[in-house]
Amino acid sequence: MRSPRTTVAVLVATAAMLLGGGTGVAAARPAAPSAAPSGVTSAVSSAASAAAPAAVGVCSSTALAGGSVQGALAPAQVQRQLSSLTAQHRAQYGIADKGPLGTDSSAGAGAGAGAGAGSTAVRPLVSIHPAQGTAFKSQSGADGSCATQSVSTQLTVRNSATTIYTPTMYPPGGSCVELVTVYTTSVRSVSAWDWCRSVSFAASVPINSSFLSTYTNGSGAYTGRVVRTSAASNTWTAALYNYAAGRWDTLFTQSGTNQSGRTDGWDIEELYSATGSSGRAYSCDDMAGLTFESSNISVRNNGTWSVATSANSDTHYDQPNSAFYCPTRSYQMLSTYDHWKAVG
């Protein structure tokens, strides 16, 4: 969610997602029984990079969708887990005020407990919102994007000021859907953000052992795409490639008018965090030693897929490394502009 861009009853969740006057289609399927937590550590490794040619083929695959993403949450669960992030992302487009960033954990055990006798005052935080990666140019006929994106079962967010979207992909062409890899203090998920109706997270699947075995092919990375399926209604569908079954599984579908007014796109590392008294971002410690990567980045124009190159992409969302407030972090555009990698 870029700024140049961040269960209760079913009826309650549905009402909460009708902010724009309609709902999308988020498919939910009962999760398969999970085995013990996977040993897959960080994001994409050399194994994922080695699978690059196959993944490019998957992006352009015409294999019919097989149904819903396995393990996807019910709408009420999505609302409960991710609704707290809504205001932060809407604010980037003036849709709503930015929500609270949280408290500085170094202020003491009483921080964030509220005013009252014996409570510790909450110190304001310096918020950051950096990004680096591939930016898709706004082009006539743009109607989709696809990439193989890393996931991590070891990333643990410890401070409520931090939300990590790495990688997050939004196709050019006024898409209704963004496909986001989400990490918060309580969530690891691949989720769909609705840009046309609710302007909030509308579908989500947890990153767990079942997800890894179904959607990563043992590589530590999933292949996702978002494509326009109807120009007349501006309908867009986010899907994940099911390596176990050899098909595309639908996560979310939405139609309407994009409320951000944006026609370009991105496949980037993006995060929200804050700096402690040392000047180091909390996200820096959370992500230390982990690799985050997006490869086989492709865009679709009038139904034809192409690898991301200077003809359709650039880096106009990039900020300098210093914007991450993380001196140990490294970043490389390994292949312009279809493969980037960040460590830490």
Side-chain angles (χ1 to χ4, degrees):
M1 324 282 168
R2 280 309 302 152
S3 107
R5 171 187 108 97
T6 165
T7 41
V8 191
V10 172
L11 288 176
V12 174
T14 302
M17 296 175 67
L18 282 172
L19 299 173
T23 57
V25 178
R29 176 182 296 180
S34 296
S38 170
V40 174
T41 57
S42 61
V44 177
S45 63
S46 57
S49 299
V56 170
V58 166
C59 281
S60 59
S61 169
T62 57
L64 296 177
S68 308
V69 163
Q70 296 182 26
L73 301 179
Q77 292 175 292
V78 178
Q79 173 71 9
R80 186 177 65 225
Q81 289 191 4
L82 299 173
S83 62
S84 63
L85 306 177
T86 300
Q88 188 178 59
H89 303 309
R90 290 183 185 175
Q92 307 308 315
Y93 295 90
I95 298 174
D97 290 336
K98 188 169 184 176
L101 281 174
T103 59
D104 187 340
S105 58
S106 66
S119 66
T120 302
V122 176
R123 293 194 286 141
L125 303 174
V126 177
S127 62
I128 64 171
H129 180 201
Q132 285 181 329
T134 296
F136 302 132
K137 297 177 181 179
S138 178
Q139 294 185 323
S140 176
D143 58 4
S145 65
C146 180
T148 298
Q149 309 200 124
S150 63
V151 290
S152 174
T153 56
Q154 291 205 338
L155 173 56
T156 299
V157 174
R158 297 174 178 84
N159 190 282
S160 61
T162 301
T163 303
I164 297 167
Y165 300 122
T166 301
T168 180
M169 181 181 69
Y170 177 69
S175 175
C176 284
V177 185
E178 180 176 0
L179 188 61
V180 192
T181 316
V182 181
Y183 302 93
T184 70
T185 54
S186 59
V187 172
R188 294 188 189 106
S189 71
V190 174
S191 302
W193 176 270
D194 174 5
W195 276 113
C196 286
R197 302 293 182 129
S198 67
V199 194
S200 64
F201 281 109
S204 186
V205 57
I207 298 169
N208 53 27
S209 59
S210 178
F211 178 90
L212 293 174
S213 63
T214 303
Y215 295 107
T216 72
N217 200 30
S219 70
Y222 69 93
T223 297
R225 71 180 184 187
V226 181
V227 296
R228 184 163 56 202
T229 53
S230 172
S233 58
N234 195 41
T235 301
W236 296 76
T237 296
L240 307 182
Y241 191 74
N242 183 329
Y243 285 96
R247 70 188 185 211
W248 286 99
D249 289 347
T250 298
L251 179 62
F252 181 65
T253 297
Q254 185 60 284
S255 60
T257 301
N258 183 293
Q259 295 190 37
S260 75
R262 196 166 290 281
T263 58
D264 64 345
W266 52 78
D267 185 290
I268 55 175
E269 174 173 42
E270 177 189 17
L271 60 86
Y272 293 82
S273 193
T275 59
S277 57
S278 67
R280 181 184 177 99
Y282 295 122
S283 55
C284 184
D285 293 326
D286 295 338
M287 302 169 81
L290 299 178
T291 298
F292 302 89
E293 193 165 4
S294 189
S295 61
N296 310 298
I297 302 170
S298 306
V299 293
R300 199 177 78 166
N301 192 288
N302 291 319
T304 300
W305 287 99
S306 301
V307 171
T309 66
S310 58
N312 51 43
S313 306
D314 55 28
T315 57
H316 63 260
Y317 285 118
D318 273 16
Q319 295 178 32
N321 289 334
S322 60
F324 287 82
Y325 288 81
C326 186
T328 57
R329 176 183 177 273
S330 65
Y331 170 80
Q332 293 176 282
M333 179 65 74
L334 297 177
S335 176
T336 311
Y337 291 98
D338 68 330
H339 188 180
W340 57 261
K341 180 173 74 173
V343 179

